[in-house]
Amino acid sequence: MENTHVKKKKFKFSMPHSYIVIGLIIVFAMVMTYIIPAGQYARVEDPITGRSIVDPNSFQFLEQSPVGIFDMFKAIMRGMVDAADIMFFVFFAYGFVSMLIHTGAFDAGLGTLIKKIKGKEKFIIPVLMLIFGIMGASFGMYEEAYGFVPVTMGIAIAMGYDGMVGAAIVFVGVATGFAAAVTNPFTIGIAQSIAEVPMFSGFGFRLIVWVCFMTLIIWYTMRYANKVKKDPAKSAVYGIKFSFLSDMSQEDLLKKEFTTAHKISLLLFAGTIATFVTGTIKFGWYLEELAAIFIIMMFVIGLVNKYSLGKTCDVFIESCNHVLFGVLIIGIARAVLVVLQDGHVIDTVAYYMASSLTHFSTYVAAEAMLLFQNMLNFFIPSGSGQAATSMPIMTPLADLLGVNRQIAVLAFHFGDGFSNLFWPTQVAIECGIAGIPLTRWYKYFGPLFLYMFLLQTFFIIVAVAINFGPF
């Protein structure tokens, strides 16, 4: 009798395409519009901030308005339109940086930088993360930082690390500053105004919080970076090619000639950053004005390097092609919010979550507020939008539970900010911009988020214990 060996196929799971992952979340949001009752709070104008906020006593259930399959697909187009400002800002930011790379100025400058700081490369990580952390904590920079991603990724790779280190420098640095905020006007400012506590009060405590969180992320990133430098195979993005970055080796960078045109280009780059920061802080510039600066400087750097206007346009088109994947993710992810808004379920979620907190002790209630804000950030990714929705509810609830209003503010900006690095709707945008698959991001960031959440809960306990108040 002949032996026949039947080879069984082993099932191998492979992570679906990033667009499919976001698509499944959109489908989930659509299903939720059938399950979660529709409801709405009335909005009133806050006399202090001038913003539209919810009236906490006005919630009422509405007739169910589930989103159909065809409307779900329409939401993708609407999401693209809603997120157009961020999408086009990324195009222009990458066009500007691509011009620096295409002319050779960026590579030559990196080569010179490597020579100057030979043996001290590790200090680049804490310095840059602190800069982004300060900008996030002080004047609320967030989306504006996206334009720096290719720069920091290029620096990290040139230093012998990987693209994840460069992405983390920007995304984790600015998000941590934004979340562990000290004077962030978009979170602290709005939330404290609504909670009717003195503007930017609790500065000392918040500064301690910021220092602790920045220490955590710098330690974590440097530990990862050193591990990757010793063994590149341990990189979370091992095998990933970043098409929008220069593929020069460190040896090639060191040989690159640093011409006068290169030096002028990098001086213009530094001047662009200075203009960028000044305009944001002093004049309240946002994406529209910053994109205009990127467009202008893209052509100026082209002229300095003797590029024709047509050639500069070609470089811009090429850069758009490289980042199209990430830019489209921004619009697709926004469709989740569009579906939830059309189904009128966001206010219902906020109402149910807030109602569930009423029977807890002070410590448990404060931690539950933190969890509530983390969960709500999935439905309302905007910091100022979440403040306008949740704080009018959390403020009277905090009084009812015997929790200081300042602690309610603390729970809000923790929950709003840190989960931006966790929820896939926001992470998909960041990963798309950096060209990093979602699974690779979570491989790197998963343990760090756990550390972050434990630190958040610790500071909430401390705040309750010391009765962290308005001053």
Side-chain angles (χ1 to χ4, degrees):
M1 193 182 213
E2 189 181 341
N3 266 338
T4 308
H5 296 284
V6 180
K7 204 170 186 179
K8 290 186 178 179
K9 262 190 174 179
K10 287 185 179 178
F11 175 76
K12 188 178 179 183
F13 174 79
S14 61
M15 186 68 184
H17 194 285
S18 296
Y19 288 3
I20 301 299
V21 173
I22 298 300
L24 291 172
I25 296 172
I26 296 171
V27 172
F28 172 75
M30 180 194 71
V31 172
M32 288 300 99
T33 65
Y34 286 86
I35 298 172
I36 301 172
Q40 196 170 48
Y41 285 102
R43 262 67 178 175
V44 295
E45 185 177 320
D46 179 37
I48 300 173
T49 63
R51 290 177 176 268
S52 176
I53 62 172
V54 303
D55 176 353
N57 300 311
S58 66
F59 181 81
Q60 58 180 353
F61 290 102
L62 305 175
E63 184 180 343
Q64 199 73 8
S65 53
V67 174
I69 293 176
F70 187 64
D71 286 332
M72 179 190 71
F73 283 102
K74 283 168 59 181
I76 296 173
M77 173 64 179
R78 290 172 56 200
M80 295 281 183
V81 174
D82 284 357
D85 55 349
I86 298 176
M87 293 169 69
F88 283 101
F89 173 74
V90 171
F91 275 136
F92 296 128
Y94 271 71
F96 168 70
V97 175
S98 291
M99 183 58 66
L100 286 170
I101 294 172
H102 199 275
T103 60
F106 187 63
D107 290 339
L110 274 180
T112 303
L113 179 66
I114 292 168
K115 291 174 191 173
K116 297 282 186 187
I117 64 167
K118 194 69 176 173
K120 300 176 182 177
E121 296 94 337
K122 62 183 180 181
F123 295 112
I124 288 288
I125 295 172
V127 168
L128 290 178
M129 290 194 97
L130 282 170
I131 289 171
F132 283 108
I134 289 168
M135 291 192 287
S138 56
F139 60 90
M141 172 182 273
Y142 202 95
E143 289 95 344
E144 302 94 325
Y146 290 165
F148 296 106
V149 173
V151 177
T152 55
M153 289 179 73
I155 290 172
I157 291 171
M159 295 299 173
Y161 303 125
D162 66 3
M164 184 68 81
V165 171
I169 285 172
V170 176
F171 292 136
V172 180
V174 79
T176 300
F178 192 91
V182 181
T183 58
N184 183 344
F186 302 110
T187 55
I188 301 293
I190 295 172
Q192 288 187 329
S193 295
I194 296 170
E196 297 179 339
V197 297
M199 185 68 70
F200 303 132
S201 54
F203 181 90
F205 184 79
R206 296 183 199 285
L207 186 60
I208 293 170
V209 168
W210 180 84
V211 169
C212 290
F213 273 103
M214 291 305 299
T215 302
L216 170 65
I217 65 166
I218 289 170
W219 164 78
Y220 186 88
T221 307
M222 290 186 71
R223 187 186 67 162
Y224 169 82
N226 290 331
K227 182 174 68 175
V228 168
K229 194 163 191 175
K230 288 176 185 174
D231 184 2
K234 291 183 177 177
S235 166
V237 289
Y238 186 69
I240 302 293
K241 181 170 174 59
F242 301 102
S243 59
F244 53 86
L245 297 176
S246 169
D247 56 3
M248 280 194 173
S249 67
Q250 191 171 114
E251 290 73 26
D252 291 333
L253 290 172
L254 292 172
K255 294 174 188 173
K256 188 85 175 170
E257 184 186 358
F258 198 23
T259 66
T260 302
H262 292 158
K263 292 173 184 175
I264 294 171
S265 297
L266 290 179
L267 282 173
L268 289 169
F269 171 68
T272 301
I273 294 174
T275 304
F276 197 92
V277 174
T278 303
T280 305
I281 297 173
K282 194 170 182 181
F283 304 111
W285 287 358
Y286 191 48
L287 300 182
E288 194 173 300
E289 293 83 1
L290 301 178
I293 296 296
F294 279 138
I295 295 168
I296 293 167
M297 297 312 297
M298 178 172 61
F299 280 98
V300 170
I301 288 172
L303 291 171
V304 166
N305 289 273
K306 298 179 180 177
Y307 279 30
S308 68
L309 296 179
K311 188 173 182 180
T312 298
C313 291
D314 287 337
V315 172
F316 173 65
I317 292 168
E318 184 183 342
S319 73
C320 289
N321 182 51
H322 287 319
V323 298
L324 183 62
F325 171 84
V327 169
L328 289 177
I329 276 186
I330 297 171
I332 295 170
R334 183 63 67 90
V336 176
L337 181 60
V338 172
V339 169
L340 293 171
Q341 287 173 335
D342 286 355
H344 297 99
V345 298
I346 295 175
D347 284 4
T348 306
V349 170
Y351 171 74
Y352 280 149
M353 285 183 175
S355 300
S356 67
L357 302 180
T358 54
H359 304 295
F360 292 132
S361 67
T362 307
Y363 281 96
V364 177
E367 296 292 359
M369 283 182 174
L370 173 64
L371 187 60
F372 164 78
Q373 297 291 358
N374 271 276
M375 297 295 291
L376 190 62
N377 201 36
F378 175 83
F379 298 92
I380 311 175
S382 162
S384 56
Q386 190 174 329
T389 301
S390 68
M391 286 311 299
I393 303 169
M394 289 294 104
T395 300
L397 187 61
D399 294 342
L400 182 66
L401 296 169
V403 176
N404 197 299
R405 291 184 177 190
Q406 193 76 277
I407 297 170
V409 174
L410 189 69
F412 154 70
H413 69 81
F414 277 178
D416 165 67
F418 289 113
S419 58
N420 284 331
L421 295 167
F422 178 77
W423 290 120
T425 43
Q426 185 67 28
V427 170
I429 296 170
E430 294 158 356
C431 286
I433 290 168
I436 296 172
L438 278 169
T439 48
R440 303 295 186 95
W441 173 260
Y442 285 117
K443 182 179 178 181
Y444 163 80
F445 182 70
L448 178 55
F449 184 74
L450 178 61
Y451 298 150
M452 283 178 159
F453 191 75
L454 291 173
L455 196 55
Q456 291 172 60
T457 58
F458 169 75
F459 276 117
I460 291 292
I461 291 171
V462 171
V464 175
I466 66 173
N467 194 26
F468 175 43
F471 299 100

